[in-house]
Amino acid sequence: MDGAAAAARDLRPSQAAGIPAEVPLRSTILPLRVEGLRYAAGGHAILHGVDLEIAAGPPTLVVGPNGAGKSVLLRLLHGLLTPAGGRIAWAVPFDQARRRQAMVFQRPVMLRRSALANVVYPLALAGLPRAGRAARAREALARVGLLHLAERPARQLSGGEQQRLALARAWALAPELIFLDEPTANLDPAATRAVEAIVQDIAAAGTKVVMTSHDLAQARRLAGDIVFLHRGRVIEHAPAARFFAAPRAPEAAAFLRGELLA
Amino acid sequence: MEDFDAAFAIAIGMIGSADPALLEIVVLSLKVSAAAVLLAALVGLPLGALLAVARFPGRRAVVVALNALMGLPPVVAGLAIYLLLSRSGPLGELGLLFTPGAMVLAQAVLIAPILAALARQVLEGLWEEYAEQLRSFGAGPWRAVPSLLFDGRFALSTVLLAGFGRASAEVGAVMIVGGNIEGFTRVMTTAIALETSKGNLPLALALGVVLMAIVLTVNAAVQVLRDAAARRAA
């Protein structure tokens, strides 16, 4: 067995002793193929048949106006919502894919514990042996610059610190893919810069980032490819450079010009 | 008003002289109520947490029933335990009737629904906040129960105090299963009831003042501990 295959095998939480300190360099759960994905809530259709393929590589940014269905799409892909129809197919069975991904929400949910304990908690759920959890969590805190606040109650941290803690909590799991739902929506510019730097670090270390944003400048800074979602459909999916230079769909062009899409 | 003046004078005298008979009654009261809260918490808090996270048909009916059980009359709880523990009852072999153990059991039955109902209420709000994040971590409702109990610990300390207040204030259940035997199963409330029936109203009232002072002290102590802990870990 070659080294990469061994590393991939060791990612399985059931073989928790082997959860690597480094994030995986090779993805096993991607590509993700989505076909005809539909979702409705309260009789109101939110996604009308989304077709999408997400491959390993630089961050995928899902952009579009408010109410386009971006957050719902991420929750469906992460398995928090049940689709009304369509298919979500990972390269591995769902249960395996589920254990190798993490999600950070727009409003981070802080457990009523210390910052360190917030990172330790999902490690315990993932089956990491008790002995290794604190060291692993401290390392994750260090990567987001929060090690000095490790013992502080998480809910006493500022909004930006909480979001960085949420990123550390997700990253500590060494996932192959992280979903980020508008992680900077409630943050000031300084905190936004800090979060974006961490997102770039996560991507550079080999974890696939799939992130929603309604901020086009942010999408330009971070994206490898852009998924433009409008009224519950993928209108365009293109490499970021091409999308911003020459969007093909008229709605995408209008969105880039800053027009309000109805 | 003379009764009240006399009562306070007697109460202060009793506390000041540390009357051994009174001390014995006070200590037994505290022990029984504390043990009952502990026993009821072991059952009631996990049950409340489970009810906060679980979704099943008939859940609303269970919640309504639990809330109704908060109003369970102590005499009825005492009577049920009496029948269970009496010589001819299913648990008669244990020989618990008219012992402090029986009093603990009766009070635990009385307050477990209170703890469960209040814990359900408190933890449901916490679960609303946590649910999506915990599911993202891969924790289902079962795994969430201990997490919610831990993270809700400050709110739950108030729930425990409500149970303790109910236990230390009730007389019907401990009277029936304990029997108010002097030096063995006599507690504050049964002593008050006895002195009242004997017509010794100032003494009864004085015991009441002492009981309230104890409950106040316990609540204050818990509040101080809770605030100190919350400052470190809210």
Side-chain angles (χ1 to χ4, degrees), chain B residues 45-63:
Chain B
L45 296 188
L47 189 67
L50 201 58
L51 213 50
V53 302
R55 293 292 175 270
F56 55 91
R59 175 178 176 273
R60 286 172 69 87
V62 174
V63 169

Side-chain angles (χ1 to χ4, degrees), chain A residues 75 78 80 98 113 121, chain B residues 126 130 132 135-136 147 151:
Chain A
R75 282 174 168 77
H78 191 45
L80 293 176
R98 190 67 182 68
R113 312 170 183 211
Y121 181 82
Chain B
L126 194 59
Y130 277 16
E132 200 167 47
R135 281 178 58 212
S136 172
S147 306
D151 280 28

Side-chain angles (χ1 to χ4, degrees), chain A residues 99-112:
Chain A
R99 286 200 298 266
R100 297 179 202 173
Q101 53 178 278
M103 181 156 177
V104 172
F105 298 89
Q106 182 171 341
R107 277 202 202 127
V109 177
M110 293 288 110
L111 304 180
R112 286 156 175 76

Side-chain angles (χ1 to χ4, degrees), chain B residues 36 40 68-86 91 97 101-114 166-167 170-178:
Chain B
L69 275 177
M70 286 201 289
L72 180 67
V75 185
V76 175
L79 197 54
I81 296 300
Y82 180 92
L83 292 174
L84 283 176
L85 294 181
S86 66
L91 300 177
L97 199 58
M103 297 156 73
V104 169
L105 201 59
Q107 288 200 334
V109 167
L110 194 63
I111 60 180
I114 298 177
R166 169 77 158 170
E170 78 83 24
V171 57
V174 285
M175 184 71 95
I176 291 179
V177 302

Side-chain angles (χ1 to χ4, degrees), chain A residues 75 78-81 98 101-105 107-114 118 121-122 124-126 151-156 166 169-170 173, chain B residues 125-140 143-155 229-234:
Chain A
R75 282 174 168 77
H78 191 45
L80 293 176
L81 295 176
R98 190 67 182 68
Q101 53 178 278
M103 181 156 177
V104 172
F105 298 89
R107 277 202 202 127
V109 177
M110 293 288 110
L111 304 180
R112 286 156 175 76
R113 312 170 183 211
S114 70
N118 263 273
Y121 181 82
L125 281 180
E151 306 306 327
R152 191 79 70 80
R155 290 162 58 87
Q156 286 178 13
R169 198 164 59 179
L173 291 163
Chain B
L126 194 59
W127 176 239
E128 262 173 43
E129 182 190 334
Y130 277 16
E132 200 167 47
Q133 182 71 68
L134 293 199
R135 281 178 58 212
S136 172
F137 288 154
R143 183 60 185 78
V145 164
S147 306
L148 287 181
L149 287 173
F150 181 75
D151 280 28
R153 58 200 179 278
F154 299 115
R231 262 196 304 279
R232 279 187 289 112

